Amino acid sequence: MNVRGLLQHKGNKVFTVHSTSTVATALELMKLHNVGALVVSDDERTLLGLYSERDVVRDLTRFGDDLLKTQVHEVMQHSPKTCAPTDQIDELMRMMTHFRARHVAVIDSGELKGLLSVGDVVKHRLAELETETEVLRDRLAGR
């Protein structure tokens, strides 16, 4: 399966935060939408960066109490990992593992099409393994 198929199953809703919003606003959005990362975009179509819970933890040591007042563009990941809808899931898994990327933006012709997390990929892989297991059991049982 490719990334497009995974997005069709998962959905392509992407939660964004404006680059001039504060980290406090970003955290409220993460809480509201129950997500671990937001795409930084000023038009909800163009990827400017990514801001995640992991970034918050890292930035607390750098900014301390001032972090909540800091604008997202100052602390976001400026070059987050991306993939295309035509990329294969196993390629995506290798990239996420190699770069330790927990979130990858899906970009098609320069436009944001979705955001995938490690959890999305693991959920997909577990479903594949369950299907394979059922097929093998059926074959062993002679069905």
Side-chain angles (χ1 to χ4, degrees):
M1 177 184 280
N2 63 18
V3 168
R4 180 177 282 113
L6 183 55
L7 276 180
Q8 287 172 342
H9 185 262
K10 174 204 177 211
N12 61 353
K13 178 66 178 155
V14 179
F15 298 105
T16 63
V17 63
H18 197 277
S19 65
T20 59
S21 294
T22 63
V23 170
T25 299
L27 291 174
E28 282 295 322
L29 288 169
M30 284 186 217
K31 178 182 172 188
L32 175 69
H33 299 299
N34 194 31
V35 295
L38 298 169
V39 168
V40 182
S41 177
D42 292 343
D43 62 8
E44 297 187 2
R45 293 186 319 272
T46 307
L47 172 72
L48 299 176
L50 195 66
Y51 198 63
S52 71
E53 294 167 330
R54 183 183 278 180
D55 297 320
V56 173
V57 172
R58 182 198 65 225
D59 294 336
L60 275 171
T61 61
R62 189 170 140 210
F63 290 92
D65 294 340
D66 292 332
L67 178 60
L68 294 177
K69 297 178 271 186
T70 304
Q71 290 186 342
V72 172
H73 70 88
E74 295 178 53
V75 291
M76 70 183 184
Q77 298 170 36
H78 290 274
S79 299
K81 296 300 172 199
T82 63
C83 66
T86 54
D87 289 346
Q88 296 300 308
I89 299 298
D90 54 343
E91 294 171 31
L92 176 62
M93 285 190 298
R94 277 192 288 279
M95 179 181 61
M96 292 176 106
T97 301
H98 179 77
F99 291 105
R100 300 181 69 152
R102 296 184 56 81
H103 300 89
V104 175
V106 182
I107 305 294
D108 190 15
S109 301
E111 190 169 317
L112 179 66
K113 296 297 181 182
L115 183 68
L116 294 174
S117 70
V118 168
D120 297 327
V121 176
V122 168
K123 182 178 177 182
H124 165 75
R125 185 64 183 131
L126 287 174
E128 278 185 336
L129 291 172
E130 287 175 13
T131 300
E132 290 172 14
T133 301
E134 288 177 28
V135 168
L136 290 173
R137 283 187 185 141
D138 287 348
R139 285 186 182 169
L140 287 173
R143 294 183 235 173

